[in-house]
Each structure stands twice: as structure tokens, then as C-alpha cells.
Amino acid sequence: MRINQSFRLKHPDKFKHQLMQWASSHNSCWVFDGQQMASKFKNFDAVIAVGKRSLVKSFDYNALEKLQTFINQSNDWLMCCLSYDLKNTIENLTSNNFDGINFPQILAVQPEKVFTIIDNKLECFYTEDTSTEIETDFIEIQELNIDLKLKQQFLAFDSRLTKEAYLSIVHQLKSHIKRGDIYEINFCQEFYAHTPQFCGFDAFKQLNLQSKAPFSAYVKFDEFQVVSASPERFLTKKNFRLISQPIKGTAKRGQSLVEDQNLIKELATDPKELAENIMIVDLVRNDLSKLASKASVKVDELCRIYTFEQVHQMISTISCELKPNVDFTSILEATFPMGSMTGAPKIEAMKLAEAYETTKRGLYSGSIGYITPNGDFDFNVVIRSLLYNAKTAYLSYMVGSAITDQSIPENEYQECLLKGKALQEIFCKA
């Protein structure tokens, strides 16, 4: 049982940053920041949780079964990380590539304290044994001075693939497409560094300043830190409505308003980008149809252009009304991994990605999110993200692009660099 208390905030944005900084000092910290999210799709401006009451941390092939049991037994707020390699428990697949992070297939935590912010309303959900701390925590958070001085750390990232190797693989993948093995594949590559000192929350603040991504997340737990500036939603559930918002199609920002508008027009009419997006929309519609009540799957937005600080993105929105008595793991089994990170057909694309990629994706291409006590949830797609293992001092990010028959290998390589630009810049700015 949780004790709930509400507060009205005079300065909600300031308090949100104070709360995030306060949370980052805890050993178990989960931050979800919904900045710049379209209001019609927004659940909260922020969800922040600290502490650990109970958890599931699984590397096993029965990870999904453990997660569903945990959800049923807790009936509470849960913070979750779902690794891409859960695909191996859903389908007859394997992952044997190099893994420098070693993130579990599932990490799900029942926190001690949960905070939600929407507009100027703060709600605090404390376990009974911590409920006496609500008032003192609130005062402590309000009195906290926000540290805007970002500690600069200079790092150079190495690529797991040379440019020449990347271009060669894209040519090979296009051969698979020409033979009809697949229609589209999301091919990813890793950039990495070794550093014994990494402050993930400083990196998170910097990325928030630069990217203002609507599905940003910061996780600190055990030896792991995750810094995500994700612009993409995997799935959200509110009552019986399920919504997916895949991204396919990326363009850089312009140097002027006129250039920006021209780039938006080019992206919106680019045959290759439109084909990518529509293929994934069809895939998502098929996934949702396994869960939906009759004739309820619909495309709410098709190939709409959304503008972010670093890039323009082509995003579609697909929704459905769920059948009765569909549990969380059944939803995952029908939809995970998200089609925007696999390709189509999904299973064959995942097999080829495993064969040609050099790094195990782990949490990258997976999802971070939260589940509420009534079973609603919101999960992002782990892209534009830094992953860190303190035990091995290994810091990593991955980037990818969708390869189709129309792909120009050099352009795909440049798209990968564009997606990783913000992640690199926070370590090289003076």
C-alpha cells in the first residue's frame, strides 16, 4: 500500500530539475522526462522514482515469466528496463556478439518513492514505511540549489566498425533485399570508450539541454547507468487504449528558418524515407492486430514530421483498443522488439542483423519505462543513449539506420554519425 500526497508547484520546471538532482544522489534512481512531448499523447511531464523495495533482475530465458509474476504480485509502481535480447525468449533467436555492457534481459524495480509531475501538480507515492519522510523530502528538494555547472569530461570514442566495413555490409544487406530475403533492415554499429569515472547525471543534464527529447530517461542501478535522449515512444497504454509511435526518417536541422523549412519539405516527400516509415507502420499494425478488439487498429498519424533540437523526424502513430484480459507480457510477446529497430519481415531482419552486426545490442533497441498500479504504462525506444558499466569502466552508444533497396551506403553512414553527434559533443566541447 502507498501513501499519496499532492502539492501545487509555483515553479514546476525548477522543481522538476531540483527533484531530478535530488534523485540522482540515490543508489537506485529512475528519471523519465517528457519535455517537448505532444500534449495529446502526454501522460506526465515527469516520473521520478528512488529506492528499491523489491526487484527482478534476470538474464534467463524465463525472464518474461518472472516479470509477469512480479507485476501480478506487486500490483504497484514498477520501473523497468527491457533489453533487445528479450527477442531470444519470444522467438527462436540467439545473440552471440561481443557485449561490453552485460545488461540483464530484464531489470524491474519496485521503488520506495515515486513522484509524478503534470502541469503544476506534484504527486508523491511513498511506501508505508517511508511515508513519514514526505514532508522532509519535499522541503529538502525545494531548498536544493540546482547545479548548472556541468563537469566536462573529454573522451574519444572508437568505432567497432571501420567506415569501409560498414559500407561493405550495407552493400551485402542490399543484396539480401534484392533477393527478397527482407524488405528493410535496421543495421546498427557501436561506438565505445573506457573511462573509470563517468557521471551519468551530468551527461543526462547536458543531453537534455541539447536535445530536449520527449522520452528522455536516466537510470542508475548497481553498476549500470543509462542516459537516454530518446525521441521515440515504443508503447503506451492508458485504460484499454494502446499507442505506438515508430520513427523512420531523419533529417538534420537547418542553419536558418528557410533552410529548416526546406529540409522538412524534403523529408516529408522523400520516397525512400516514406517507404521506410510506411513499411514499419504496416508491421506495427500487424503486431497490434494480435492484441486488438475487432476493427480497432487505426493509423492516427501517418508520416508526420516532428522537429527536435538536433534533427527532424518522421513519426507515425498507430493505436488500438485492447481485448479484455491481455497482460503485460502478452503485449510484449506480440510487439517486442519494436519494428522501427528491426525491419521487415521482423524475424528474418533480426536474424540478419545478428549475423552482420559486431556488437550485442543489449539495452540498446530495447525499452525503458514505468508501469502504474492500475496496469497502465509508458515505454520509450532506447536510442540516442549512453550505456555504462562501472565494473568494467565501459561506456557505449549505438546508432543505426534503416537499409532499403533505395539506400545509398554513404548516406546511411552519415545518418549514423548525425544520430550520434549529440552524444559525442557532450564529451568534446570546451
Side-chain angles (χ1 to χ4, degrees):
M1 181 178 175
R2 290 200 178 256
I3 306 301
N4 171 230
Q5 193 163 335
S6 301
F7 299 88
R8 289 290 171 184
L9 302 172
K10 291 183 179 179
H11 307 287
D13 194 57
K14 178 184 178 183
F15 185 85
K16 181 183 76 171
H17 288 94
Q18 289 172 314
L19 177 55
M20 289 192 298
Q21 187 160 307
W22 175 83
S24 71
S25 66
H26 292 72
N27 291 328
S28 176
C29 166
W30 302 73
V31 173
F32 303 98
D33 193 356
Q35 54 193 341
Q36 286 196 339
M37 193 185 302
S39 58
K40 61 183 173 181
F41 298 121
K42 182 179 291 188
N43 297 319
F44 298 102
D45 293 312
V47 175
I48 297 167
V50 299
K52 176 188 69 177
R53 189 173 180 84
S54 58
L55 80 155
V56 168
K57 182 180 179 182
S58 178
F59 295 85
D60 301 328
Y61 278 88
N62 61 348
L64 278 176
E65 182 181 335
K66 289 181 178 178
L67 177 60
Q68 189 61 58
T69 300
F70 187 50
I71 293 170
N72 295 342
Q73 291 176 347
S74 61
N75 193 33
D76 193 10
W77 284 93
L78 299 178
M79 308 291 129
C80 302
C81 290
L82 310 171
S83 287
Y84 172 78
D85 296 297
L86 272 175
K87 66 182 175 61
N88 304 336
T89 72
I90 297 170
E91 305 291 348
N92 185 23
L93 299 169
T94 59
S95 298
N96 299 308
N97 288 326
F98 169 78
D99 185 359
I101 299 293
N102 296 307
F103 204 89
Q105 285 196 18
I106 282 178
L107 174 62
V109 172
Q110 180 187 25
E112 292 178 326
K113 305 172 183 180
V114 180
F115 307 84
T116 65
I117 298 174
I118 183 71
D119 298 327
N120 66 341
K121 183 182 180 182
L122 168 74
E123 286 200 83
C124 309
F125 302 88
Y126 278 52
T127 55
E128 284 188 283
D129 55 332
T130 63
S131 62
T132 57
E133 302 168 21
I134 293 178
E135 298 287 349
T136 54
D137 283 350
F138 186 72
I139 293 170
E140 183 180 324
I141 293 163
Q142 280 191 308
E143 292 179 346
L144 192 65
N145 290 321
I146 301 173
D147 182 10
L148 295 176
K149 294 181 179 178
L150 302 170
K151 298 174 185 176
Q152 186 62 59
Q153 185 176 8
F154 293 90
L155 282 176
F157 285 82
D158 292 318
S159 174
R160 191 65 60 183
L161 274 180
T162 64
K163 180 178 179 180
E164 291 73 20
Y166 175 90
L167 297 177
S168 173
I169 290 171
V170 172
H171 281 293
Q172 293 175 70
L173 291 173
K174 289 187 66 176
S175 296
H176 283 282
I177 294 169
K178 290 181 187 300
R179 289 200 298 268
D181 299 333
I182 51 171
Y183 307 114
E184 175 182 344
I185 183 170
N186 194 295
F187 175 61
C188 304
Q189 59 174 317
E190 182 193 26
F191 293 80
Y192 66 97
H194 290 88
T195 175
Q197 293 181 333
F198 172 67
C199 179
F201 187 64
D202 271 347
F204 178 71
K205 286 190 292 185
Q206 181 66 72
L207 279 177
N208 263 349
L209 286 173
Q210 289 184 211
S211 299
K212 295 184 173 63
F215 298 99
S216 297
Y218 171 63
V219 176
K220 181 172 71 170
F221 192 88
D222 290 345
E223 68 269 31
F224 302 108
Q225 290 189 71
V226 182
V227 177
S228 180
S230 175
E232 183 171 0
R233 170 180 270 148
F234 166 39
L235 279 177
T236 186
K237 174 182 170 288
K238 197 164 188 178
N239 298 320
F240 288 99
R241 190 179 185 218
L242 196 63
I243 299 172
S244 180
Q245 294 182 288
I247 292 178
K248 270 288 161 260
T250 304
K252 66 180 181 179
R253 291 296 306 271
Q255 298 297 312
S256 66
L257 180 60
V258 172
E259 185 185 3
D260 230 15
Q261 290 173 337
N262 288 334
L263 288 166
I264 289 172
K265 289 177 183 177
E266 288 175 12
L267 178 59
T269 56
D270 187 304
K272 185 251 182 188
E273 305 285 21
L274 287 166
E276 281 182 24
N277 198 294
I278 290 168
M279 274 192 277
I280 298 306
V281 168
D282 286 341
L283 188 155
V284 172
R285 288 174 63 206
N286 182 65
D287 286 349
L288 294 187
S289 69
K290 303 169 190 174
L291 307 161
S293 59
K294 189 174 180 180
S296 70
V297 177
K298 61 179 181 178
V299 179
D300 304 88
E301 295 180 341
L302 182 63
C303 300
R304 179 173 171 179
I305 308 301
Y306 283 81
T307 296
F308 301 99
E309 295 293 310
Q310 301 286 327
V311 292
H312 303 293
Q313 301 275 199
M314 186 181 289
I315 304 176
S316 292
T317 300
I318 309 100
S319 67
C320 74
E321 294 296 316
L322 282 171
K323 296 175 185 175
N325 304 316
V326 178
D327 61 21
F328 182 73
T329 54
S330 295
I331 293 172
L332 287 185
E333 286 169 346
T335 61
F336 192 88
M338 58 293 300
S340 62
M341 297 307 296
T342 60
K346 185 185 273 190
I347 294 174
E348 190 60 33
M350 288 190 288
K351 288 179 180 177
L352 285 172
E354 178 69 25
Y356 283 98
E357 290 174 2
T358 55
T359 304
K360 186 176 180 178
R361 293 194 192 180
L363 187 57
Y364 174 76
S365 294
S367 189
I368 305 171
Y370 60 83
I371 304 172
T372 69
N374 69 356
D376 287 346
F377 57 78
D378 204 356
F379 280 81
N380 75 357
V381 178
V382 181
I383 53 176
R384 323 289 161 84
S385 301
L386 293 160
L387 306 177
Y388 182 65
N389 185 322
K391 285 185 177 179
T392 57
Y394 192 86
L395 180 65
S396 168
Y397 75 85
M398 294 184 73
V399 286
S401 68
I403 310 303
T404 68
D405 185 48
Q406 301 175 63
S407 291
I408 300 170
E410 176 65 29
N411 291 355
E412 300 298 338
Y413 184 78
Q414 293 304 320
E415 181 177 323
C416 288
L417 297 185
L418 175 63
K419 289 174 176 176
K421 182 182 176 184
L423 298 171
Q424 291 257 11
E425 282 182 344
I426 64 173
F427 297 103
C428 62
K429 282 189 173 180

